[in-house]
Amino acid sequence: MVDHLANTEINSQRIAAVENCFGASGQPLALPGRVLLGEGILTKECRKKPKPRIFFLFNDILVYGSIVINKRKYNSQHIIPLEDVTLETLPDTLQMKNRWMIKTSKKSFVVSAASLTERKEWISHLEECIRHLLMKTGRQPSTEHAAPWIPDKATDICMRCTQTKFSTLTRRHHCRKCGFVVCADCSRQRFLMPRLSPKPLRVCNLCYRQLLAEKKKEAEADQRQTEPICSAIQGYEPSSDDSDKSDDDKADQWPADTEFYTSPVSWSSFHS
């Protein structure tokens, strides 16, 4: 289908129509060899509540945005390279059915389709495009993915200290490393994660300590590699720096690698 539609007039018209719907706020989408394969409305599980979003599947990218007027105007355009995408089917919940997760290195989120058949079709076409793209580029499937943000309404208390109760005055925050909903006291630290952003991002206390430990291990490994060279230099004494050591905090009750989207643990049991 891709070879048949590539560089055809009908394909160019379809892509131009999508560009017009996003207007000046969107990026140009027409490229040689790029084909628009399908489109549809999916429900995206956002931080506050699930919201409908328009999705466009191309042979090399996935584009989605907010719906202002269906078929006429969209905004908040997001472009995801398919070679960075991994899919994971999720079980139904009381509120959402036909769910799956779209995981990338910079952002991961959950969507749901109107029917089981529609979900199967989306996943099938996505996987086929990803497979062809990886074969064409010779790349391996991505193994590092950003943690999806747990929705605000999933918990009324901080998921780290399990003491602070959220209210109008006590805001919810999200750790950019684990995606947990946490209070301000449990997420005062910032850490630079270049894969996600060029600026330091908010992380919870537990993830901060783990990231510091990983950084320290990497620094020690680099030092061991340079020691044979440094030892040949007379009078060289490697310095020790403990500035990365953080103060001992109280033990957190939930490990950072807990994955609630794939865990059999229900949300209600979290509060028990």
Side-chain angles (χ1 to χ4, degrees), residues 27-266:
Q27 298 183 36
L29 299 173
L31 283 179
R34 176 170 289 170
V35 175
L36 175 59
L37 298 175
E39 64 183 85
I41 296 176
L42 299 172
T43 300
K44 180 177 178 287
E45 294 187 12
C46 301
R47 174 177 179 176
K48 298 293 184 182
K49 63 179 181 179
K51 298 178 181 179
R53 293 287 185 261
I54 184 68
F55 281 79
F56 298 95
L57 175 60
F58 295 81
N59 59 322
D60 61 335
I61 59 174
L62 180 66
V63 178
Y64 74 93
S66 301
I67 303 171
V68 180
I69 305 175
N70 191 28
K71 300 291 185 180
R72 292 179 58 187
K73 186 176 182 180
Y74 308 121
N75 60 19
S76 302
Q77 184 192 73
H78 297 266
I79 300 177
I80 303 175
L82 287 181
E83 59 188 10
D84 190 36
V85 171
T86 301
L87 306 177
E88 179 183 350
T89 303
L90 299 175
D92 293 344
T93 65
L94 293 176
Q95 295 78 21
M96 305 289 292
K97 299 185 182 300
N98 310 311
R99 305 161 67 236
W100 76 95
M101 188 183 298
I102 298 175
K103 300 190 290 186
T104 77
S105 60
K106 292 188 176 182
K107 184 176 184 179
S108 299
F109 54 93
V110 177
V111 294
S112 62
S115 66
L116 182 61
T117 300
E118 185 177 339
R119 181 180 73 170
K120 289 181 179 178
E121 290 179 350
W122 267 103
I123 292 178
S124 175
H125 288 302
L126 279 164
E127 289 180 339
E128 185 71 7
C129 289
I130 294 170
R131 185 176 66 84
H132 278 290
L133 192 59
L134 291 177
M135 288 178 59
K136 181 178 179 180
T137 60
R139 290 186 52 180
Q140 295 297 317
S142 179
T143 56
E144 294 188 13
H145 306 111
W149 283 19
I150 295 171
D152 285 0
K153 291 185 178 180
T155 180
D156 293 327
I157 61 175
C158 173
M159 299 178 70
R160 280 301 176 211
C161 67
T162 67
Q163 300 297 321
T164 302
K165 189 167 185 177
F166 299 119
S167 64
T168 304
L169 299 178
T170 305
R171 290 185 55 201
R172 291 171 168 84
H173 300 279
H174 278 82
C175 171
R176 271 55 169 184
K177 179 68 168 61
C178 65
F180 276 24
V181 184
V182 292
C183 64
D185 287 340
C186 289
S187 59
R188 293 192 179 278
Q189 305 293 345
R190 300 290 190 277
F191 199 90
L192 180 62
M193 294 180 282
R195 180 168 53 88
L196 301 181
S197 171
K199 298 180 180 180
L201 300 175
R202 179 189 292 269
V203 293
C204 68
N205 296 340
L206 178 59
C207 285
Y208 181 71
R209 294 198 300 272
Q210 292 180 341
L211 288 167
L212 278 182
E214 292 173 2
K215 183 179 180 181
K216 184 177 180 181
K217 285 183 179 179
E218 292 176 358
E220 290 174 347
D222 292 340
Q223 184 177 353
R224 285 194 296 269
Q225 291 179 355
T226 58
E227 279 178 354
I229 300 175
C230 295
S231 61
I233 303 176
Q234 185 176 2
Y236 176 83
E237 292 184 2
S239 60
S240 60
D241 183 5
D242 294 334
S243 60
D244 281 344
K245 292 183 178 179
S246 59
D247 296 334
D248 292 335
D249 295 325
K250 62 181 180 180
D252 297 282
Q253 297 186 25
W254 288 88
D257 57 356
T258 300
E259 297 184 5
F260 286 93
Y261 284 106
T262 56
S263 171
V265 177
S266 63

